[in-house]
PDB file of all heavy atoms in Angstrom:
ATOM      1  N   ILE L 323      -9.867   3.950   4.236  1.00 98.00           N
ATOM      2  CA  ILE L 323      -8.796   4.311   3.376  1.00 98.00           C
ATOM      3  C   ILE L 323      -7.464   3.988   4.063  1.00 98.00           C
ATOM      4  O   ILE L 323      -7.351   4.249   5.302  1.00 98.00           O
ATOM      5  CB  ILE L 323      -8.901   5.815   2.997  1.00 98.00           C
ATOM      6  CG1 ILE L 323     -10.100   5.976   2.052  1.00 98.00           C
ATOM      7  CG2 ILE L 323      -7.583   6.298   2.334  1.00 98.00           C
ATOM      8  CD1 ILE L 323     -10.432   7.514   1.821  1.00 98.00           C
ATOM      9  N   GLN L 324      -6.490   3.470   3.271  1.00 98.00           N
ATOM     10  CA  GLN L 324      -5.145   3.351   3.873  1.00 98.00           C
ATOM     11  C   GLN L 324      -4.148   4.316   3.244  1.00 98.00           C
ATOM     12  O   GLN L 324      -3.997   4.369   1.967  1.00 98.00           O
ATOM     13  CB  GLN L 324      -4.709   1.977   3.499  1.00 98.00           C
ATOM     14  CG  GLN L 324      -3.081   1.688   3.526  1.00 98.00           C
ATOM     15  CD  GLN L 324      -2.596   1.781   4.962  1.00 98.00           C
ATOM     16  OE1 GLN L 324      -3.207   2.005   5.886  1.00 98.00           O
ATOM     17  NE2 GLN L 324      -1.237   1.741   4.948  1.00 98.00           N
ATOM     18  N   VAL L 325      -3.479   5.134   4.106  1.00 98.00           N
ATOM     19  CA  VAL L 325      -2.513   6.034   3.784  1.00 98.00           C
ATOM     20  C   VAL L 325      -1.236   5.526   4.356  1.00 98.00           C
ATOM     21  O   VAL L 325      -1.087   5.546   5.556  1.00 98.00           O
ATOM     22  CB  VAL L 325      -2.911   7.440   4.042  1.00 98.00           C
ATOM     23  CG1 VAL L 325      -1.777   8.514   3.672  1.00 98.00           C
ATOM     24  CG2 VAL L 325      -4.188   7.937   3.506  1.00 98.00           C
ATOM     25  N   ALA L 326      -0.245   5.239   3.471  1.00 98.00           N
ATOM     26  CA  ALA L 326       0.938   4.622   4.088  1.00 98.00           C
ATOM     27  C   ALA L 326       1.985   5.703   4.513  1.00 98.00           C
ATOM     28  O   ALA L 326       1.765   6.905   4.350  1.00 98.00           O
ATOM     29  CB  ALA L 326       1.571   3.793   2.914  1.00 98.00           C
ATOM     30  N   HIS L 327       3.193   5.207   5.020  1.00 97.00           N
ATOM     31  CA  HIS L 327       4.131   6.043   5.513  1.00 97.00           C
ATOM     32  C   HIS L 327       4.711   7.001   4.470  1.00 97.00           C
ATOM     33  O   HIS L 327       4.932   6.616   3.272  1.00 97.00           O
ATOM     34  CB  HIS L 327       5.275   5.238   6.238  1.00 97.00           C
ATOM     35  CG  HIS L 327       5.952   4.317   5.278  1.00 97.00           C
ATOM     36  ND1 HIS L 327       6.959   3.455   5.847  1.00 97.00           N
ATOM     37  CD2 HIS L 327       5.848   3.998   4.089  1.00 97.00           C
ATOM     38  CE1 HIS L 327       7.399   2.696   4.827  1.00 97.00           C
ATOM     39  NE2 HIS L 327       6.803   2.937   3.801  1.00 97.00           N
ATOM     40  N   ASN L 328       4.986   8.216   4.963  1.00 98.00           N
ATOM     41  CA  ASN L 328       5.583   9.327   4.197  1.00 98.00           C
ATOM     42  C   ASN L 328       4.838   9.748   2.984  1.00 98.00           C
ATOM     43  O   ASN L 328       5.373  10.428   2.157  1.00 98.00           O
ATOM     44  CB  ASN L 328       7.061   8.872   3.735  1.00 98.00           C
ATOM     45  CG  ASN L 328       7.970   8.740   4.934  1.00 98.00           C
ATOM     46  OD1 ASN L 328       8.251   7.703   5.405  1.00 98.00           O
ATOM     47  ND2 ASN L 328       8.581   9.838   5.275  1.00 98.00           N
ATOM     48  N   VAL L 329       3.553   9.351   3.010  1.00 98.00           N
ATOM     49  CA  VAL L 329       2.731   9.942   1.884  1.00 98.00           C
ATOM     50  C   VAL L 329       2.338  11.456   2.189  1.00 98.00           C
ATOM     51  O   VAL L 329       2.267  11.802   3.387  1.00 98.00           O
ATOM     52  CB  VAL L 329       1.338   9.129   1.834  1.00 98.00           C
ATOM     53  CG1 VAL L 329       0.313   9.858   0.967  1.00 98.00           C
ATOM     54  CG2 VAL L 329       1.651   7.797   1.212  1.00 98.00           C
ATOM     55  N   GLU L 330       2.160  12.213   1.026  1.00 98.00           N
ATOM     56  CA  GLU L 330       1.703  13.597   1.359  1.00 98.00           C
ATOM     57  C   GLU L 330       0.538  13.779   0.427  1.00 98.00           C
ATOM     58  O   GLU L 330       0.552  13.443  -0.750  1.00 98.00           O
ATOM     59  CB  GLU L 330       2.774  14.499   1.084  1.00 98.00           C
ATOM     60  CG  GLU L 330       2.293  16.018   1.091  1.00 98.00           C
ATOM     61  CD  GLU L 330       3.301  17.027   0.885  1.00 98.00           C
ATOM     62  OE1 GLU L 330       4.673  16.737   0.967  1.00 98.00           O
ATOM     63  OE2 GLU L 330       3.080  18.201   0.637  1.00 98.00           O
ATOM     64  N   ILE L 331      -0.526  14.182   1.017  1.00 98.00           N
ATOM     65  CA  ILE L 331      -1.748  14.450   0.217  1.00 98.00           C
ATOM     66  C   ILE L 331      -2.045  15.938   0.287  1.00 98.00           C
ATOM     67  O   ILE L 331      -2.115  16.601   1.232  1.00 98.00           O
ATOM     68  CB  ILE L 331      -3.133  13.775   0.881  1.00 98.00           C
ATOM     69  CG1 ILE L 331      -2.714  12.194   0.834  1.00 98.00           C
ATOM     70  CG2 ILE L 331      -4.163  14.121   0.025  1.00 98.00           C
ATOM     71  CD1 ILE L 331      -3.887  11.382   1.443  1.00 98.00           C
TER      72      ILE L 331
END
Side-chain angles (χ1 to χ4, degrees):
I323 290 172
Q324 159 65 7
V325 179
H327 58 183
N328 292 93
V329 166
E330 180 176 339
I331 300 177

